[in-house]
Amino acid sequence: MTDAVHLVLDDTAMTAASQGNVLVSRLIHRAHAEAGWYLYAPACALVEADRARPGTAEHLAAMPGVTVLDLDLPAALAVARQASWAAAHSHFAAQPTADRPDGAVIATTAPKRWQGEPVRVLDLNP
């Protein structure tokens, strides 16, 4: 286990950020201001959030504490098998990698969406 905190924003968390959710704002601030805090925005989830609330993608992508994760070939193959590209890309991004050996936690305002999935979840509802 590492001391680093890796969080993946799903599309619901991104939409909540654009609506002023205090908990999401705190995560964004920590990722920008504190060493060892990393916040990821999977591209497919970013697109879905922008569809729900136009302007969200540009807003989040401009934040220095948020890293947009591209849809590379391994991610595209994982996403292609699922009905929701946003959830599938978020799920894929939360899996362990060389940079994130413990994986990442999915930050969401819809925790029930992730029930039964092999991921850790951070509920961002107040």
Side-chain angles (χ1 to χ4, degrees), residues 29-50:
H29 173 74
R30 286 191 118 167
H32 174 68
E34 293 185 34
W37 279 75
Y38 303 94
L39 198 56
Y40 305 99
C44 292
L46 195 58
V47 168
E48 194 61 35
D50 200 70

